[in-house]
Amino acid sequence: MPQQQPPAVSVIMPVLNEERHLRNSVRHILEQEYAGEMEVVIALGPSADRTDEIAAELVAEDARVHTVPNPTGRTPAALNAAIKASRHPIVVRVDGHGMLSPNYIATAVRLLEETGAANVGGIMHAEGENAWEDAVAAAMTSRIGVGNAAFHTGGQAGPAETVFLGVFRREVLEQQGGYNEEFIRAQDWELNFRIREAGGQIWFSPELRVQYRPRPSVKALAKQYKDYGKWRHVVARYHAGSINLRYLAPPTAVCAIAAGLVVGAAVTPWGLVVPAGYLAAITAGSLPAGKGLSLKARAQIPLALATMHLTWGVGFLTSPRSLARKVIASRRPAVMPPAAGAERAGAE
């Protein structure tokens, strides 16, 4: 009996200013250990570097690679444009600075079949290419850096609230109308929230690993984490039940450190115990996180940790209510699958 051909896969990539990593990222896709048909759809934002030129070269070199324009430069708009231009029943999201492990797609397709999940995802495995990026990677994969987030630090396979990137069944994306384009960040969480509301399952598995290249400078890392904090507060206002102590830790630290500095400068030096204690904590926490790294990388881990924590906290605290109101106004109700909708109607 002939072996059944695996389902065809569409890989979608939103890219903007990715000249450094785009070619390598696409190579990791095209060299996947997967027997099924594959296409790669790259959504091109208005880059200021050679990203478009490199993408054109990739299209000329391999007929499986295609591009679509994304004039807004926004990630959710890019993802929706790529989904619309793609055609296969399995949709794999990859970023322009993400490198799939060799059996990533085969494993994800198997997990979709085994679990019946609507979306599966795994570990965001940060790896640097220089001392600073190694320091950021260490911070991003440590509990002192990101808490107990399974897609950063690992964990047991099972149902999850959200996952890194994601491998979807196309019919689920089409049922939900794709990504909400008002979510400039946290669009994955919002889509997965609707999928779960509609009865779909999101599945995390440590078998799935994507190499992730950290931001190359303190300034870029600070902007990334300030945006994360800002949009996490939007999510908290969008869905009050989504907040937990892990998300409140950075803004609490910012307030405590600021208060300690003010008291220390204006009232008593004892106020400086709080910022000094924070500095001591991240310095001590960086020691296990930096195991095996160069001395230069280990020395920069406290800076990476402080940048991540404090800018995330500032972003959370300064996130405007007007942004949350705009996003809440764009709220899309979860769309039930036809069978589930019929069952619900019958029950009523």
Side-chain angles (χ1 to χ4, degrees), residues 44-113:
L44 296 170
S47 295
D49 61 10
R50 294 184 58 253
T51 296
D52 287 11
E53 182 181 335
I54 294 168
E57 292 171 357
L58 292 166
V59 170
E61 292 164 7
D62 196 305
R64 293 173 292 176
V65 181
H66 316 281
T67 61
V68 292
N70 173 36
T72 69
R74 294 181 171 186
T75 299
L79 291 166
N80 284 341
I83 291 167
K84 185 176 180 180
S86 65
R87 54 196 173 92
H88 294 321
I90 305 296
V91 178
V92 180
R93 176 183 171 177
V94 181
D95 286 340
H97 46 273
M99 315 296 163
L100 301 184
S101 53
N103 62 348
Y104 181 90
I105 291 177
T107 301
V109 171
R110 171 177 59 80
L111 289 171
L112 284 173
E113 178 64 27

Side-chain angles (χ1 to χ4, degrees), residues 9-70:
V9 168
S10 296
V11 181
I12 59 172
M13 298 183 70
V15 299
L16 180 69
N17 296 323
E18 290 287 2
E19 69 173 0
R20 183 179 170 194
H21 299 300
L22 179 58
R23 177 171 287 279
N24 197 24
S25 182
V26 172
R27 179 179 64 81
H28 277 76
I29 297 168
L30 298 177
E31 294 179 358
Q32 284 287 296
E33 298 169 0
Y34 187 66
E37 186 180 350
M38 186 190 308
E39 66 173 351
V40 181
V41 181
I42 303 171
L44 296 170
S47 295
D49 61 10
R50 294 184 58 253
T51 296
D52 287 11
E53 182 181 335
I54 294 168
E57 292 171 357
L58 292 166
V59 170
E61 292 164 7
D62 196 305
R64 293 173 292 176
V65 181
H66 316 281
T67 61
V68 292
N70 173 36

Side-chain angles (χ1 to χ4, degrees), residues 254-309:
V254 168
C255 292
I257 291 169
L261 290 172
V262 170
V263 170
V267 182
T268 171
W270 284 106
L272 299 177
V273 168
V274 175
Y278 172 76
L279 181 60
I282 62 173
T283 301
S286 71
L287 297 178
K291 188 176 180 180
L293 297 182
S294 68
L295 180 61
K296 185 176 181 181
R298 293 200 301 271
Q300 296 182 84
I301 294 175
L303 176 58
L305 287 169
T307 301
M308 291 162 55
H309 293 162

Side-chain angles (χ1 to χ4, degrees), residues 317-336:
L317 292 168
T318 60
S319 181
R321 287 186 177 273
S322 59
L323 178 59
R325 286 195 293 268
K326 179 181 178 183
V327 167
I328 290 169
S330 74
R331 187 192 297 267
R332 298 179 183 179
V335 179
M336 303 298 295

